[in-house]
Every structure is written in structure tokens, then in C-alpha cells.
Amino acid sequence: MTEMQANPSFRLVYVPGVTPGKWVRVWEERLPDVPLTLVAVPVEEGARTLQADAADAGLVRLPVDRDSLSAIPLYTETTVVVFPKEHWLAAADEVALADLAEEIVFHPLDDTLGWESLPGRPAIERPATTADAIELVAAGVGVMLVPQSLARLHHRRDLTFRTVPDAPQSQVALAWQLDRTTDLIEEFIGIVRGRTVNSSRGRGQTAPAAEQPKQKPAAAGGRPRAGSGKAAAGGKAGTGGRSGGGKSGGGRPAGGKSGGGKAGAARKGRPRRSS
């Protein structure tokens, strides 16, 4: 972990479909003195921006080059097929890849699903971007499969979508340069993982909160005596046993077999006396 800068700032790159707003709000609450700058880039530029040192960390889509970047997977998105509202697929609750066998399925150059075998019939040309493919879908030329967040990002009134359970899925991850895990990156890791302020590993945590409970027994001065009192209460129950022994054996020693056995029986058979 590197030292904090004198005037720190934090640059966060993110790709289409990712919504960093909730994490940015937490950052602003916890580190109001460290400005966070958002950098929006096309999906294929997310990892490149980090490798070029144009951002400190990024919310990108996997895979990334693990020889140069560290990455923590955050979530996996549902894949959907987008089509015109009047399309016959609209009658289904969900769609299988086999249902698209006769459909033209667009595969834009910025596709994030990593197909091994494309479904449907290929288009004559691949659209340059997802936005371009959406325009062709709206024109009724074909359909396309995308992560659900991209379907919502490119929402149009004349289009709808259905989930495709057997399609590949896209993973979103937090990534940063392999050899640059700074204090601020640790802070952001804690935020996206849901750590509280007290459990954060970042700056300002010189005294771990986990050490504080160790002082509580010492602060409660009367507790040890109360525990001793309970032990004494246990002794009283034993005294009750001795009184029982007294009844059976009078002045017999406590170590006597018959007296000791009876006392034990008295304790087991009469739980009210030990209360």
C-alpha cells in the first residue's frame, strides 16, 4: 500500500451499463476532502484507461488482463434479447437460444458476452456499437442479446426485452493497476464490499475497533465478583447437599461414601433446592 498524497484525489472510470452513483455517494460521505472524478468510457476502453494510468480504479467488464490489473468481481448480469414490441417473442415470459435459430442476431463490435457460438443467423455486417445495433433492431431488421443494464440504458418505447437463461453472462468488476493498491483504492474496495466506517481498512483506522471490546470486562469492575458470587451460590447448593448429608449421616465426614452419594442424589432429585 502506498502513502497518501498531500492533496489526494480519486479518478474512477466506468463503462456503459454500470451505475456507480450509490458508491460515489458513500465516498462523498466518508471522504468529503477527497474529490472523486468519474470518467465514462466505451466498454473496450475501460481496461485500457487503467493501464494508461488515466484513472486510479475502474468499474469494468471482465475479462481483463490479470498480468497488469487486479480485479474483484462484483456481480453478474442477466442477459436479455431485445426486439420490437410487436415481435412474436413478446408472447413469451423468457426466451431460449434455440428460439432465435431463424432470427438475424446482431453481434456488435463492442459486444460484452464473449460468445463461443453465436445464436441465430448472422447479419451481413457487424454494427460498430451496441447503440448502432439497437437502431437496427428498432428498424425491424433483427434482434440482439445484451446484459440487462445495456437494454435499459438504450431503452426505447418501441422496443422490449426478455431474459435468456441459457445465454452467456457479463461480469462487472472493480479493477486497478496490479502494483498500485493505494490507501484510496482500499477505501473504495471497502465501499463496494459494503464495509462500515469502523471496519474500513483505509486511512484513519489507527486503532482497530475490534480491540475495543477487550477493555469491557476490565471496565465492569463488579462483574468478576458477581461471577464469584455465582460460584458461591453453587457452593450454597453444595451446602444444601451437606445439610442433606447431615440429615443422613449427622457428623459423618463429607468424603464418606454413603453421605456423599446421598448428597449427590439430593441435588439431582430436588432441582428446586439448587435454585
Side-chain angles (χ1 to χ4, degrees):
M1 188 181 298
T2 61
E3 295 296 327
M4 295 289 292
Q5 301 173 0
N7 297 302
S9 62
F10 194 72
R11 299 163 299 170
L12 181 68
V13 65
Y14 69 102
V15 296
V18 177
T19 52
K22 60 181 178 181
W23 296 317
V24 172
R25 287 190 293 272
V26 176
W27 177 280
E28 292 172 345
E29 291 172 1
R30 295 187 187 180
L31 294 92
D33 57 326
V34 181
L36 188 154
T37 302
L38 289 174
V39 182
V41 298
V43 64
E44 68 275 10
E45 293 296 327
R48 295 176 192 170
T49 303
L50 295 172
Q51 291 166 334
D53 199 25
D56 299 293
L59 297 168
V60 300
R61 294 188 183 275
L62 296 178
V64 296
D65 180 10
R66 293 302 184 101
D67 291 332
S68 61
L69 298 176
S70 296
I72 300 174
L74 300 179
Y75 58 89
T76 300
E77 285 201 67
T78 299
T79 299
V80 301
V81 58
V82 182
F83 49 84
K85 282 187 175 181
E86 297 79 14
H87 198 282
W88 67 270
L89 289 172
D93 293 328
E94 61 181 33
V95 176
L97 289 177
D99 297 330
L100 305 177
E102 300 301 320
E103 300 292 328
I104 293 177
V105 179
F106 292 111
H107 185 216
L109 295 175
D110 63 355
D111 176 74
T112 63
L113 298 177
W115 295 97
E116 293 183 3
S117 178
L118 291 170
R121 298 157 51 201
I124 297 175
E125 293 183 359
R126 294 183 62 182
T129 66
T130 297
D132 293 335
I134 288 288
E135 292 294 331
L136 293 171
V137 172
V141 179
V143 302
M144 71 174 302
L145 292 103
V146 290
Q148 186 168 308
S149 66
L150 290 181
R152 289 173 173 168
L153 177 66
H154 297 287
H155 171 71
R156 293 173 52 126
R157 288 186 177 182
D158 53 347
L159 298 180
T160 188
F161 60 82
R162 295 290 186 272
T163 60
V164 186
D166 58 343
Q169 296 177 315
S170 176
Q171 270 191 309
V172 173
L174 172 65
W176 65 95
Q177 285 198 37
L178 195 61
D179 58 349
R180 297 192 182 182
T181 308
T182 64
D183 286 345
L184 292 179
I185 288 175
E186 286 285 4
E187 286 284 353
F188 198 78
I189 291 171
I191 289 171
V192 299
R193 284 185 162 175
R195 293 183 198 144
T196 63
V197 175
N198 291 334
S199 65
S200 175
R201 296 181 187 177
R203 62 176 191 163
Q205 299 298 320
T206 55
E211 295 180 1
Q212 296 176 1
K214 295 180 181 179
Q215 301 175 1
K216 288 184 178 179
R223 293 294 176 85
R225 293 184 181 179
S228 301
K230 289 180 181 179
K236 289 180 181 179
T239 304
R242 287 197 296 273
S243 65
K247 288 179 182 180
S248 60
R252 289 184 182 180
K257 292 182 179 179
S258 60
K262 290 180 180 179
R267 285 194 295 272
K268 291 181 180 178
R270 297 181 182 180
R272 294 182 180 176
R273 292 193 179 183
S274 61
S275 61

